[in-house]
């Protein structure tokens, strides 16, 4: 498992479920911008939103020098550092498909901070970058894992981004398409 240095990490970058379910209480939350990465459904989820037999899809930070990702910087209370870091590692590195990186964020108020981010490993078998929208829609509409339906993950992320003024048109379109497909599926 690739891990960051052991110095105290002050900030974490949330671009998916960490926005609406960080699992800890940040001392500060700030809109943030990360250059060089795209938010994308590029990780086959075999734990949280799918299973090994029927993987779901979750968001990852996919390296792209021409892209930028808007999200939320979450500040960790110094006294909670070790506990929060252990929690995040257990949650985010469960299959080692992400790698931890300390990356520069620009906060909405202009501050520059270094933050822990979980970046997709393209060399990992769970990498699913470049998957056609139709396949993403089908998978997300039907997958279910330990933390619930894959569709809930998508809908929660899209709605929370809109609530904080960061609506993501691609996620909104995907969410609408997943809802439309789910309406045609037989109830289980």
């Amino acid at each position: 498992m690739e891990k960051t240095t052991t110095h105290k990490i002050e900030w974490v970058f949330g671009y998916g479920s960490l926005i609406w379910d960080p699992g800890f209480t940040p001392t500060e939350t700030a809109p943030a911008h990360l250059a060089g990465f795209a938010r994308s459904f590029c990780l086959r989820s075999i734990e949280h939103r799918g299973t090994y037999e029927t993987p779901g899809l979750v968001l990852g930070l996919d390296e792209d020098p021409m892209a930028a990702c808007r999200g939320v910087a979450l500040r960790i209370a110094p006294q909670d550092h070790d506990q929060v870091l252990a929690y995040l590692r257990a949650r985010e590195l469960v299959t080692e498909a992400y790698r931890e990186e300390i990356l520069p964020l620009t906060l909405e108020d202009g501050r520059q901070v270094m933050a822990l981010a979980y970046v997709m490993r393209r060399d990992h078998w769970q990498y699913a970058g470049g998957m056609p929208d139709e396949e993403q829609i089908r998978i997300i509409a039907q997958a279910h894992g330990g933390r619930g339906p894959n569709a809930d993950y998508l809908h929660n992320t899209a709605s929370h981004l809109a609530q904080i003024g960061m609506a993501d048109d691609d996620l909104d379109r995907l969410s609408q398409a997943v809802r439309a497909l789910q309406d045609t599926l037989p109830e289980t």
Side-chain angles (χ1 to χ4, degrees):
M1 179 182 329
E2 190 173 325
K3 291 184 182 170
T4 61
T5 159
T6 57
H7 79 281
K8 296 289 184 188
I9 295 165
E10 191 173 357
W11 294 90
V12 176
F13 183 58
Y15 56 87
S17 63
L18 287 175
I19 293 171
W20 48 270
D21 182 20
F24 68 98
T25 303
T27 61
E28 181 182 356
T29 302
H33 175 270
L34 173 63
F37 294 86
R39 174 184 18 246
S40 119
F41 275 96
C42 62
L43 172 60
R44 289 179 184 91
S45 178
I46 61 170
E47 293 281 333
H48 301 309
R49 298 297 174 164
T51 64
Y52 190 80
E53 296 78 20
T54 310
L57 283 175
V58 294
L59 294 165
L61 279 177
D62 202 4
E63 202 162 356
D64 178 349
M66 302 305 293
C69 181
R70 292 172 59 208
V72 177
L74 308 162
R75 190 176 217 161
I76 302 170
Q79 67 273 17
D80 297 338
H81 175 271
D82 293 348
Q83 180 182 350
V84 168
L85 191 57
Y87 164 76
L88 289 172
R89 285 179 170 160
R91 172 179 168 167
E92 302 296 329
L93 299 177
V94 66
T95 65
E96 299 183 17
Y98 291 133
R99 68 180 184 274
E100 289 184 332
E101 286 194 33
I102 303 294
L103 298 171
L105 299 182
T106 302
L107 305 187
E108 187 175 63
D109 64 10
R111 285 180 288 167
Q112 303 283 316
V113 302
M114 298 302 289
L116 173 64
Y118 290 94
V119 175
M120 187 66 215
R121 287 182 44 211
R122 286 186 171 190
D123 64 341
H124 197 277
W125 71 268
Q126 286 176 263
Y127 179 67
M131 185 181 289
D133 287 350
E134 297 75 23
E135 190 173 354
Q136 291 181 41
I137 292 162
R138 180 187 55 75
I139 290 169
I140 294 169
Q142 298 179 45
H144 190 283
R147 295 189 76 184
N150 200 167
D152 288 356
Y153 171 91
L154 165 61
H155 303 320
N156 281 333
T157 303
S159 69
H160 279 82
L161 283 167
Q163 286 172 16
I164 62 173
M166 292 185 185
D168 182 312
D169 292 341
D170 292 334
L171 289 187
D172 290 341
R173 276 192 295 278
L174 194 58
S175 183
Q176 290 171 354
V178 166
R179 286 185 200 281
L181 177 58
Q182 286 180 313
D183 288 344
T184 68
L185 296 174
E187 296 204 23
T188 54

